[in-house]
Amino acid sequence: MSSTGFGSSTGKVRLLSIALMGLGLVALIQQQILLRRPPRLRSVAIQSIRSGAAALDVRFSRAMDRKSVAENSRLLPHQPHQWFGQQDQFRLLLDPGALIRSPQKLVLAGRDQRGLALPNRSIWWDPRSYLLAVMVEEDGEQLKLRREDGSWLPLSSVEQRILQIEPLGNGEGVAFVTDHDPSKLEVLLRQLRPRAISDQAQGLADPLPGAIQSLASGSLLFAHLSSNQRGELLVQVGGIEVGSDRTWIRSANAKRRDLDLEVAGPIRLLPDGSGLVVPSYEGLDLLPMNPKKTGNSPQSLPGSRELKSFCSGSGRAVLLRNWPDYRRSIELVIPGQPPRQVWLGEEGVMATACDNRGEKIWIVLRDASPTLRDELLLVNSSGSVLKRRYFPGWYLASGAVLDVDPATNRLLTVMTDGDGAKRRAALIDGSSLEFELLKPQVVLARWLPAGGDLDEFHQVRR
């Protein structure tokens, strides 16, 4: 009986060994089959943090030969561009001088590092921003989005007043502040589903409105909003009572993180999501978003300075500095360098903007002598004036900003006539400085960045 038991045990060991060898052989065969399968596209996403006119992040199922991808892929209509990245993650970056007037078709092709060809894949993509405006209605004001066909899509109910609009940097929503009476503000967020990328030409469409959410309301005296290109939203509110000020950040996945900060004005998020600019009584402080993780200490820029605009793809920014003799200067801040003065004068600085690289800066100046007039300057990063023009009979509206769409090289702002009775959204060519006034009566206007991505099943994701 003992020998029989021994033989049975030996047989089981042999069967187990054979089974394991079989499984190993099957795994080896499967691995060889997978290695011989052509690579495939995993995902494509519109990338908002870029130094060019537009960018796409492309991910493959395995490591690709970047030179092969660059040589065999096509962009229609053709735009000057470059490919960056390595392994299975690449970035297509359109050059800063590219002008996009229509949707782009990207035909992806190339070989992986084993020499296997990627089956051609076509992706349609429209990186142009959408125009958001607060329009004047009979009973108040309403936030609307300008569709591709020129019609307007309502994004809010008709409110008594809308004081601020802040598009999310990833294109997935727009936050705004409404005013019901002098001490009752409300912060609302209209969620949007971007549809600026598709595997079919007919799949491109205007953003689809989603739910509307109240982020703050009640007895509020002020509310300020700021977003970055990750889609995070900073909300800063304060009421009548002492200690009622609150500041928090809403992440792209709707999580809230409260901030405990002593500030002297509105806070701005850095475009890349790495930190925030906090005004203090002695200047401007640059704080890291997660100081415990990064270990970076706050940086300070002393003096009577005001942050005017970010050059989002380069880490540069434009500041307004006020001098004791009542002159004003515009400074370009470059990381690791002292501020560089690019303009100095006595005129009022109404607004500024800069391109993604910080190489071009637009400045709206107001001169009241001998008559009131606004002038738009285009200067380079050294302060040389490249172009200038006046707006006869029109002026930058109070509280208006200069907003840049890198894809079309157009500035967006709000202008008013000499009597202040008309307020129109103005589209300004960033090179020629020629401007076009839209017909509707508006209060505020901003660009909503294009957004969206595709997963490996070629389904549009939020």
Side-chain angles (χ1 to χ4, degrees):
M1 292 180 63
S2 60
S3 61
T4 303
F6 177 78
S8 175
S9 176
T10 303
K12 290 180 180 179
V13 171
R14 288 177 178 175
L15 288 173
L16 180 60
S17 299
I18 294 172
L20 291 174
M21 291 175 61
L23 290 174
L25 182 60
V26 170
L28 181 61
I29 294 173
Q30 289 178 336
Q31 183 182 30
Q32 293 301 314
I33 293 174
L34 290 174
L35 289 175
R36 285 171 171 78
R37 286 179 58 184
R40 69 183 189 278
L41 178 65
R42 292 287 299 274
S43 65
V44 186
I46 294 178
Q47 173 55 255
S48 56
I49 305 175
R50 78 271 183 171
S51 57
L56 282 180
D57 280 351
V58 182
R59 189 163 62 95
F60 299 96
S61 61
R62 64 172 66 128
M64 300 290 292
D65 183 330
R66 188 178 70 191
K67 182 178 179 182
S68 175
V69 172
E71 290 177 349
N72 291 281
S73 298
R74 294 173 293 143
L75 196 59
L76 305 171
H78 176 74
Q79 298 284 359
H81 63 275
Q82 300 179 67
W83 283 93
F84 298 91
Q86 58 186 349
Q87 297 297 320
D88 61 342
Q89 299 186 32
F90 291 172
R91 176 170 294 177
L92 170 67
L93 182 68
L94 273 60
D95 291 356
L99 286 178
I100 302 168
R101 297 183 174 89
S102 62
Q104 305 290 298
K105 179 183 178 181
L106 172 63
V107 181
L108 282 167
R111 296 183 176 275
D112 66 12
Q113 293 184 357
R114 296 184 180 87
L116 296 177
L118 172 79
N120 285 14
R121 300 293 315 190
S122 294
I123 301 296
W124 279 262
W125 160 49
D126 193 347
R128 297 174 294 175
S129 299
Y130 291 90
L131 196 158
L132 294 170
V134 174
M135 297 179 61
V136 178
E137 303 292 336
E138 289 186 6
D139 300 325
E141 299 172 357
Q142 189 173 32
L143 176 62
K144 295 184 180 182
L145 179 144
R146 192 187 191 200
R147 296 186 179 101
E148 179 64 24
D149 62 6
S151 62
W152 293 88
L153 172 67
L155 297 180
S156 76
S157 58
V158 177
E159 304 287 347
Q160 183 173 327
R161 284 205 312 167
I162 298 179
L163 303 179
Q164 183 188 357
I165 55 175
E166 183 69 13
L168 299 188
N170 59 1
E172 294 188 2
V174 53
F176 54 102
V177 179
T178 64
D179 181 9
H180 301 291
D181 60 53
S183 62
K184 191 175 182 182
L185 308 182
E186 185 171 14
V187 179
L188 297 165
L189 173 65
R190 167 67 79 179
Q191 297 178 356
L192 298 169
R193 192 180 82 182
R195 296 185 292 177
I197 188 169
S198 176
D199 58 346
Q200 298 179 357
Q202 61 270 28
L204 296 178
D206 301 315
L208 187 65
I212 191 165
Q213 178 185 3
S214 177
L215 302 182
S217 63
S219 299
L220 301 176
L221 290 178
F222 75 90
H224 170 74
L225 306 171
S226 177
S227 183
N228 58 30
Q229 292 172 327
R230 293 180 179 178
E232 296 171 318
L233 177 69
L234 179 137
V235 181
Q236 191 178 357
V237 297
I240 300 175
E241 299 82 5
V242 176
S244 63
D245 295 4
R246 292 171 289 149
T247 303
W248 71 91
I249 293 175
R250 180 189 184 273
S251 68
N253 58 3
K255 294 183 178 180
R256 172 169 169 160
R257 180 162 67 93
D258 292 304
L259 301 178
D260 183 15
L261 297 172
E262 293 290 336
V263 300
I267 302 172
R268 296 276 297 274
L269 294 179
L270 293 180
D272 64 1
S274 63
L276 50 159
V277 177
V278 180
S280 68
Y281 294 105
E282 298 179 353
L284 293 174
D285 296 332
L286 177 61
L287 305 182
M289 186 70 83
N290 296 300
K292 293 182 180 180
K293 291 184 179 180
T294 61
N296 296 334
S297 58
Q299 304 176 43
S300 297
L301 190 62
S304 179
R305 289 179 165 97
E306 176 187 345
L307 174 64
K308 299 297 290 184
S309 46
F310 289 115
C311 317
S312 57
S314 60
R316 300 183 176 188
V318 175
L319 305 182
L320 170 65
R321 185 171 187 180
N322 298 296
W323 294 88
D325 60 0
Y326 300 105
R327 291 184 302 169
R328 302 170 184 86
S329 62
I330 297 294
E331 298 176 333
L332 177 65
V333 178
I334 302 173
Q337 299 183 24
R340 178 190 300 174
Q341 182 174 289
V342 296
W343 177 85
L344 176 67
E346 297 180 354
E347 296 94 330
V349 178
M350 305 304 295
T352 73
C354 51
D355 67 357
N356 280 346
R357 297 183 301 164
E359 296 296 330
K360 294 181 179 180
I361 302 167
W362 296 272
I363 309 169
V364 177
L365 302 175
R366 176 163 295 176
D367 188 0
S369 176
T371 58
L372 185 69
R373 65 177 183 176
D374 284 358
E375 181 183 23
L376 176 60
L377 296 184
L378 170 59
V379 305
N380 62 18
S381 58
S382 299
S384 299
V385 178
L386 305 178
K387 196 86 172 178
R388 63 200 313 159
R389 73 159 297 151
Y390 293 101
F391 304 112
W394 289 91
Y395 310 90
L396 206 70
S398 175
V401 299
L402 279 180
D403 213 0
V404 183
D405 177 22
T408 60
N409 190 36
R410 291 187 302 175
L411 306 174
L412 173 64
T413 191
V414 177
M415 290 186 176
T416 182
D417 62 2
D419 298 328
K422 297 179 181 178
R423 290 172 65 106
R424 303 282 180 82
L427 295 172
I428 305 172
D429 185 277
S431 298
S432 69
L433 306 188
E434 296 293 329
F435 71 102
E436 171 193 2
L437 295 172
L438 303 184
K439 291 183 178 180
Q441 183 89 334
V442 306
V443 179
L444 304 169
R446 292 287 304 274
W447 289 122
L448 173 72
D453 57 9
L454 294 169
D455 63 15
E456 59 185 319
F457 303 106
H458 308 293
Q459 300 283 333
V460 177
R461 298 188 299 184
R462 288 191 66 177

